[in-house]
Amino acid sequence: MYIRRKKYPSGNVGIIVVEKISGKMKELTTIGIAKSDEEVEALVKRGQEWIDREQQRRHPRLDLFGEERIRFERERMNAERLLNSITNIAIDGADLILDKVFDNVGFDRIEDDIFRKLVKARLSYPASKSATVEYLKNHFDDDVSLSKIYRYLDKLSDSQHSIAQDISVGHTRKILGGHIGVLFYDVTTLYFESDYEDELRKTGFSKEGRHKNPQIILGLLVSIGGYPLAYCIHEGNKYEGHTMLPVVTEFVRRYKLEDFIVVADSGLMNSDNVAELEANGYKYIIGAKIKTESKKIKEWILSQPKIDCQMVEYDKGDGKRLLVGYTDDRARKDAYNREKGLRRLEKAYRRGTLTKENINKRGYNKFLTMEGDVKVSIDYDKLETDAKWDGLKGYLTNTDIPASQVYAAYHNLWHVEQAFRISKSKIEIRPMFHFTRRRIEAHICICFVALKVYKELERLLKLTGINMSVDKVLALAQSIVTIQITLPQNKHTISRTMLMKRHQCIAPLFSDDFWVTR
């Protein structure tokens, strides 16, 4: 026996109990005629009760667990009604966390829903804009057209870039106790999957080995802890040393910084840059090119005893100090790398594949020398000279802080390197498939904000003792769903984010109380 719903020409629905006997369907009884969905559900329930009574009449039995069985059956029917009331399931665990962090930093000041969605997508599902559209549709049933995203990128104004930077700087100042103190600057290159250059995308020396692809140079200014402060983009063939001073000067002017130190790698510095830093009254710590110092200074450096983790100081006058440190670990690494490079050169030499094109100052080709116009050989005297510098690292500064603090500040440059690694591997800032300057700038701005959100979530995890990386938290959160149920009688909608046992380690992130004091 089972319940059949019979629809009449009038639109009403008859609820009938039928039974298949000898291959033919027989109507046993009509429970009633329903005019609405609510009446249908009520009659179906009555029909099921009629079937239960009829089966009990036909097959009477001693039921020792009748009340319990009825409770179980009622529980099952209630569960089925509940499941039938589900109107939406969103895979939004990571999205809910990123929403909270986004607002916690203060980016909710930018009242643009597309901007928020693109930033969160860079962190939870970094992909092309076309793939982002599919992600939003599949996970959130959110119909954002690709053309709408492109129109948004085209109109993303310079003022919005400035607001995003102001928010990032303001939040960073707050978490650092109101004082930024140290500015770390470095650059990287971002390539394009294209064969054509324009006024911005140009071929140049690529840090990623993509020398044939047009690229841009991205400069990034971060604070201690790696929190992004400002960025700049330049033509792909521009000398990276010319990118730092404009962005630092503009940042200092805009935010009225005082008592700060600029820290940068030696590759970004030349005598003109150092002179300009001093002319502006900036304090700095930069990597020193000790092998290109004057003969007198080089002799002094090599005459110093090499004691592990010890630093010596040379007064260069005019307030400039040259600090030279030595470590056994660096010495072993320098020797290993040189031997590795030598073996590569010797292998090429034996094969006869060394040519004058190999003669340059990069890498271990510096140990080659050219005799006449055709013969290239390895200069082993250069190897012996180079070995004298193993383990030595120089730092140039015009500050008066202790040598240990100079060392610590310079080696915090890894925060910028980490920021670039996050941008490239987690946020997937490149390769870029945009071709207009406006869209390129908009894409960089979105990735800059995504990096800030990433670093803020990383800070909160450490602060609250959640011993997991940002990547693991977001990966786990992507298995969390929010279920939406619409009650059949009053049409009221209830939503519930479902945290399973495996999610308890990140459960605090889904509590409103967690974000009240952060």
Side-chain angles (χ1 to χ4, degrees), residues 277-436:
L277 283 172
E278 293 175 343
N280 283 288
Y282 298 162
K283 298 295 183 182
Y284 60 82
I285 299 172
I286 59 178
K289 301 176 182 179
I290 53 178
K291 294 182 183 179
T292 61
E293 287 286 356
S294 67
K295 181 179 179 182
K296 177 183 177 182
I297 294 178
K298 286 193 292 185
E299 289 177 349
W300 174 83
I301 293 173
L302 294 177
S303 68
Q304 302 301 309
K306 292 183 176 180
I307 302 174
D308 188 34
C309 298
Q310 184 166 313
M311 191 171 288
V312 294
E313 182 175 329
Y314 186 92
D315 187 357
K316 298 190 71 173
D318 298 325
K320 290 188 288 188
R321 303 153 60 202
L322 174 64
L323 307 174
V324 181
Y326 171 85
T327 64
D328 289 337
D329 287 343
R330 177 182 288 275
R332 284 190 291 269
K333 181 180 179 182
D334 290 343
Y336 172 79
N337 289 339
R338 184 175 53 256
E339 289 300 318
K340 184 178 178 181
L342 176 60
R343 288 194 297 270
R344 175 178 60 80
L345 293 177
E346 289 177 334
K347 185 176 181 180
Y349 182 75
R350 288 194 298 270
R351 290 179 176 177
T353 56
L354 283 179
T355 65
K356 63 181 181 180
E357 282 74 22
N358 294 101
I359 301 298
N360 56 51
K361 298 298 182 182
R362 294 175 184 159
Y364 296 97
N365 289 342
K366 62 187 177 183
F367 300 129
L368 298 177
T369 185
M370 185 168 64
E371 301 173 11
D373 294 328
V374 292
K375 187 177 180 182
V376 178
S377 61
I378 301 172
D379 190 336
Y380 288 94
D381 290 336
K382 288 183 179 179
L383 285 164
E384 293 182 10
T385 301
D386 189 74
K388 297 177 181 178
W389 298 91
D390 286 355
L392 296 173
K393 173 66 179 177
Y395 313 89
L396 183 65
T397 181
N398 63 346
T399 68
D400 56 3
I401 63 177
S404 60
Q405 292 183 25
V406 172
Y407 177 86
Y410 182 84
H411 285 271
N412 272 318
L413 267 173
W414 68 268
H415 287 301
V416 194
E417 297 168 0
Q418 183 196 49
F420 283 138
R421 284 196 299 271
I422 293 171
S423 299
K424 292 180 178 181
S425 62
K426 311 301 181 185
I427 301 174
E428 295 188 18
I429 193 173
R430 57 86 175 101
M432 280 187 279
F433 300 95
H434 300 296
F435 303 104
T436 66

Side-chain angles (χ1 to χ4, degrees), residues 135-403:
Y135 166 75
L136 295 174
K137 173 63 177 175
N138 295 336
H139 282 67
F140 312 109
D141 199 22
D142 197 343
D143 284 319
V144 180
S145 68
L146 183 60
S147 59
K148 186 175 182 179
I149 289 178
Y150 282 146
R151 285 197 301 272
Y152 172 76
L153 295 178
D154 287 335
K155 74 179 182 65
L156 185 60
S157 63
D158 293 335
S159 63
Q160 205 157 347
H161 294 187
S162 299
I163 293 171
Q165 180 175 309
D166 289 345
I167 293 170
S168 181
V169 173
H171 182 265
T172 300
R173 264 182 166 154
K174 177 182 175 182
I175 63 179
L176 293 180
H179 181 60
I180 292 177
V182 183
L183 304 177
F184 301 94
Y185 181 81
D186 206 349
V187 300
T188 191
T189 55
L190 304 174
Y191 67 90
F192 293 78
E193 294 287 1
S194 171
D195 296 325
Y196 303 100
E197 295 181 310
D198 53 34
E199 71 280 357
L200 178 63
R201 301 175 302 146
K202 296 184 179 295
T203 55
F205 177 71
S206 171
K207 294 178 180 291
E208 301 168 297
R210 306 293 291 254
H211 303 297
K212 294 182 180 180
N213 294 86
Q215 64 180 19
I216 62 172
I217 292 176
L218 172 65
L220 184 62
L221 197 66
V222 308
S223 69
I224 190 75
Y227 306 116
L229 299 171
Y231 67 92
C232 58
I233 60 174
H234 299 274
E235 299 83 0
N237 61 352
K238 188 172 184 176
Y239 168 54
E240 60 186 30
H242 293 159
T243 67
M244 186 183 76
L245 267 301
V247 68
V248 171
T249 301
E250 171 60 21
F251 186 83
V252 170
R253 181 200 63 78
R254 181 171 178 176
Y255 298 104
K256 298 179 175 58
L257 289 192
E258 297 178 356
D259 190 24
F260 63 91
I261 300 174
V262 178
V263 182
D265 186 62
S266 60
L268 294 168
M269 285 297 168
N270 53 34
S271 57
D272 292 338
N273 282 349
V274 174
E276 191 168 347
L277 283 172
E278 293 175 343
N280 283 288
Y282 298 162
K283 298 295 183 182
Y284 60 82
I285 299 172
I286 59 178
K289 301 176 182 179
I290 53 178
K291 294 182 183 179
T292 61
E293 287 286 356
S294 67
K295 181 179 179 182
K296 177 183 177 182
I297 294 178
K298 286 193 292 185
E299 289 177 349
W300 174 83
I301 293 173
L302 294 177
S303 68
Q304 302 301 309
K306 292 183 176 180
I307 302 174
D308 188 34
C309 298
Q310 184 166 313
M311 191 171 288
V312 294
E313 182 175 329
Y314 186 92
D315 187 357
K316 298 190 71 173
D318 298 325
K320 290 188 288 188
R321 303 153 60 202
L322 174 64
L323 307 174
V324 181
Y326 171 85
T327 64
D328 289 337
D329 287 343
R330 177 182 288 275
R332 284 190 291 269
K333 181 180 179 182
D334 290 343
Y336 172 79
N337 289 339
R338 184 175 53 256
E339 289 300 318
K340 184 178 178 181
L342 176 60
R343 288 194 297 270
R344 175 178 60 80
L345 293 177
E346 289 177 334
K347 185 176 181 180
Y349 182 75
R350 288 194 298 270
R351 290 179 176 177
T353 56
L354 283 179
T355 65
K356 63 181 181 180
E357 282 74 22
N358 294 101
I359 301 298
N360 56 51
K361 298 298 182 182
R362 294 175 184 159
Y364 296 97
N365 289 342
K366 62 187 177 183
F367 300 129
L368 298 177
T369 185
M370 185 168 64
E371 301 173 11
D373 294 328
V374 292
K375 187 177 180 182
V376 178
S377 61
I378 301 172
D379 190 336
Y380 288 94
D381 290 336
K382 288 183 179 179
L383 285 164
E384 293 182 10
T385 301
D386 189 74
K388 297 177 181 178
W389 298 91
D390 286 355
L392 296 173
K393 173 66 179 177
Y395 313 89
L396 183 65
T397 181
N398 63 346
T399 68
D400 56 3
I401 63 177

Side-chain angles (χ1 to χ4, degrees), residues 2 16 432:
Y2 63 91
I16 304 168
M432 280 187 279

